[in-house]
Amino acid sequence: MRYIWTIIWALLLSNMAFYVLSSMQGGEYSFGLASGIGLVFALFVFVLGDAGIKDETTD
């Protein structure tokens, strides 16, 4: 379930950022490009969360 929410949030945040930045620059908004960048960002978060950050538990 955490993967689904990560993908949803990555897509929402990247599309929002692309829309705002393209509006501020007077450019054209591209849903496909923004979604692609969001999926790359989600993949980066998956790798960072699973392999890069380890929980250290002390018993």
Side-chain angles (χ1 to χ4, degrees):
M1 188 69 175
R2 68 181 180 181
Y3 295 119
I4 294 171
W5 282 113
T6 303
I7 291 172
I8 290 171
W9 278 107
L11 289 174
L12 287 174
L13 291 174
S14 66
N15 277 290
M16 183 238 4
F18 267 72
Y19 178 75
V20 169
L21 291 174
S22 67
S23 293
M24 289 174 64
Q25 294 177 352
E28 184 177 317
Y29 169 70
S30 173
F31 178 78
L33 180 62
S35 297
I37 297 293
L39 290 176
V40 169
F41 179 68
L43 181 65
F44 175 72
V45 169
F46 293 153
V47 170
L48 183 66
D50 288 338
I53 301 174
K54 296 291 181 191
D55 245 354
E56 293 185 22
T57 57
T58 56
D59 292 336

